[in-house]
Coordinates of all heavy atoms in Angstrom, one line a residue:
Q142 N -13.3 5.2 -10.5 CA -12.2 6.2 -10.7 C -11.4 6.3 -9.4 O -12.0 6.4 -8.3 CB -12.8 7.6 -11.1 CG -13.5 7.6 -12.4 CD -13.8 9.0 -12.9 OE1 -13.0 9.8 -12.9 NE2 -15.1 9.2 -13.2
R149 N -8.5 8.7 -3.0 CA -9.9 8.9 -3.1 C -10.4 8.0 -4.2 O -9.8 7.9 -5.3 CB -10.2 10.4 -3.5 CG -11.7 10.7 -3.5 CD -11.9 12.1 -3.9 NE -11.3 13.1 -3.0 CZ -10.3 13.9 -3.3 NH1 -9.8 13.9 -4.6 NH2 -9.8 14.7 -2.5
C150 N -11.5 7.3 -4.0 CA -12.1 6.4 -4.9 C -13.6 6.6 -5.0 O -14.3 6.8 -4.0 CB -11.8 5.0 -4.5 SG -12.4 3.7 -5.7
T151 N -14.1 6.7 -6.3 CA -15.5 6.9 -6.5 C -16.0 5.8 -7.5 O -15.3 5.3 -8.3 CB -15.8 8.3 -7.0 OG1 -15.2 8.4 -8.3 CG2 -15.4 9.3 -6.1
L152 N -17.3 5.4 -7.3 CA -17.9 4.5 -8.3 C -19.2 5.2 -8.7 O -20.1 5.5 -7.9 CB -18.2 3.2 -7.6 CG -18.9 2.1 -8.4 CD1 -18.1 1.8 -9.7 CD2 -19.2 0.9 -7.6
D153 N -19.3 5.4 -10.0 CA -20.5 6.1 -10.6 C -20.8 7.4 -9.8 O -21.9 7.8 -9.6 CB -21.7 5.2 -10.5 CG -21.5 4.0 -11.4 OD1 -20.8 4.0 -12.4 OD2 -22.1 2.9 -11.0
G154 N -19.7 8.1 -9.5 CA -19.8 9.4 -8.8 C -19.9 9.4 -7.3 O -19.8 10.4 -6.7
A155 N -20.2 8.2 -6.7 CA -20.3 8.1 -5.3 C -19.0 7.7 -4.6 O -18.4 6.8 -5.1 CB -21.4 7.1 -5.0
A156 N -18.7 8.3 -3.5 CA -17.4 8.0 -2.9 C -17.5 6.6 -2.2 O -18.5 6.2 -1.7 CB -17.1 9.1 -1.8
L157 N -16.4 5.9 -2.4 CA -16.3 4.6 -1.8 C -15.5 4.7 -0.5 O -14.4 5.3 -0.5 CB -15.6 3.6 -2.7 CG -16.4 3.1 -4.0 CD1 -15.5 2.2 -4.8 CD2 -17.7 2.5 -3.6
S158 N -16.0 4.0 0.6 CA -15.2 4.0 1.8 C -14.4 2.7 1.9 O -14.9 1.6 2.1 CB -16.2 4.0 3.0 OG -15.5 3.9 4.2
L159 N -13.1 2.9 1.6 CA -12.1 1.8 1.6 C -11.1 2.0 2.7 O -10.7 3.1 3.0 CB -11.4 1.8 0.3 CG -12.2 1.7 -1.0 CD1 -11.3 1.7 -2.2 CD2 -13.0 0.4 -1.0
K208 N -18.0 -3.9 -2.3 CA -18.0 -2.4 -2.5 C -18.0 -2.0 -4.0 O -18.5 -0.9 -4.3 CB -16.8 -1.8 -1.8 CG -16.9 -2.0 -0.3 CD -15.7 -1.4 0.5 CE -15.9 -1.6 2.0 NZ -14.7 -1.0 2.7

Side-chain angles (χ1 to χ4, degrees):
Q142 298 188 52
R149 184 181 303 116
C150 183
T151 60
L152 180 61
D153 297 329
L157 290 179
S158 177
L159 302 178
K208 294 178 180 181

